[in-house]
Amino acid sequence: GENVEQHPSTLSVQEGDSAVIKCTYSDSASNYFPWYKQELGKGPQLIIDIRSNVGEKKDQRIAVTLNKTAKHFSLHITETQPEDSAVYFCAASSYGKLTFGQGTILTVHP
Amino acid sequence: KAGVTQTPRYLIKTRGQQVTLSCSPISGHRSVSWYQQTPGQGLQFLFEYFSETQRNKGNFPGRFSGRQFSNSRSEMNVSTLELGDSALYLCASSLVAGGGEKLFFGSGTQLSVL
């Protein structure tokens, strides 16, 4: 089955800095790659997603890049704000199943 | 527009008991998926239902089962509870069936097995 590895497990940045989270996947059949943000006491919330036929997608301060050859994809957050502090999960969809990475705890210090 | 609603929010059970969790999807969403979240294993896919039919299933034992009703509401049942079943159980709904696309998650049911 699919295996998704996510790094780093924790990330601490100063407000205004950029944050980058990286994921690798194992199944070349995976064709959909979402990113979720989970705040304390809440369920994950979809923040951006990308399909395998697209290399990059941007939504305001958030961008995702995908390298199908290397089987890795990354989340980029620019101009970080304290409210960006949360746990971020990457995921890959293969044969109708979504496999999540282990999560990254992002802390943005004011 | 109301989000995904899961009940109850918290549950405490003892080993050997069974439990039923409920999920009401966003209005108009016909796909409902269930996930188990634990600190050690992370988020793991349990199963997906669409139009009352199970479309996909994760690698969990048969003690974990689910169903979906004609109004798209879904229930998940765990029988013969074990200590390792303690987890946050998340339900997600989507307009699209299969592939885990555009999932909207509820806040989950926190199950503690003593």
Side-chain angles (χ1 to χ4, degrees):
Chain A
E2 175 65 280
N3 182 50
V4 177
E5 294 194 0
Q6 181 172 345
H7 299 279
S9 55
T10 60
L11 180 59
S12 184
V13 300
Q14 289 296 128
E15 184 177 0
D17 287 351
S18 294
V20 180
I21 303 171
K22 299 182 179 182
C23 290
T24 60
Y25 61 99
S26 61
D27 190 347
S28 56
S30 287
N31 57 4
Y32 174 70
F33 307 89
W35 286 87
Y36 284 86
K37 174 184 180 182
Q38 187 173 25
E39 296 174 324
L40 202 60
K42 298 183 180 179
Q45 177 190 6
L46 179 67
I47 55 172
I48 196 167
D49 55 5
I50 193 169
R51 295 184 183 280
S52 58
N53 58 349
V54 176
E56 185 173 356
K57 184 176 179 181
K58 192 173 181 181
D59 182 5
Q60 298 182 345
R61 296 187 296 109
I62 294 173
V64 58
T65 58
L66 171 66
N67 183 325
K68 279 197 318 182
T69 304
K71 295 201 193 88
H72 67 71
F73 55 115
S74 302
L75 177 71
H76 304 253
I77 306 174
T78 58
E79 300 171 21
T80 54
Q81 301 166 3
E83 49 266 40
D84 293 331
S85 296
V87 182
Y88 290 80
F89 293 95
C90 63
S93 177
S94 172
Y95 299 107
K97 297 182 184 180
L98 201 57
T99 302
F100 285 84
Q102 288 294 93
T104 296
I105 302 172
L106 173 63
T107 304
V108 181
H109 299 281
Chain B
K1 193 173 185 181
V4 177
T5 303
Q6 290 189 246
T7 56
R9 188 73 178 89
Y10 300 95
L11 260 180
I12 300 176
K13 293 285 186 179
T14 56
R15 280 182 300 173
Q17 287 186 312
Q18 74 162 17
V19 66
T20 299
L21 313 181
S22 180
C23 172
S24 292
I26 291 172
S27 178
H29 286 194
R30 291 163 63 192
S31 170
V32 173
S33 302
W34 288 89
Y35 289 81
Q36 181 195 65
Q37 185 173 27
T38 59
Q41 299 297 317
L43 278 153
Q44 293 188 289
F45 172 72
L46 280 155
F47 28 65
E48 181 199 1
Y49 286 87
F50 183 83
S51 294
E52 302 178 66
T53 302
Q54 187 179 90
R55 284 184 55 93
N56 225 326
K57 189 176 184 304
N59 299 323
F60 278 82
R63 300 185 297 107
F64 292 81
S65 63
R67 59 177 175 168
Q68 187 180 34
F69 302 96
S70 58
N71 61 359
S72 294
R73 191 177 71 84
S74 178
E75 285 183 349
M76 188 191 113
N77 184 275
V78 188
S79 63
T80 319
L81 284 166
E82 300 177 359
L83 295 178
D85 296 334
S86 294
L88 179 66
Y89 290 89
L90 292 159
C91 166
S93 75
S94 174
L95 272 173
V96 182
E101 297 194 14
K102 308 290 186 188
L103 298 181
F104 289 83
F105 282 88
S107 294
T109 293
Q110 184 67 54
L111 172 65
S112 297
V113 182
L114 307 178

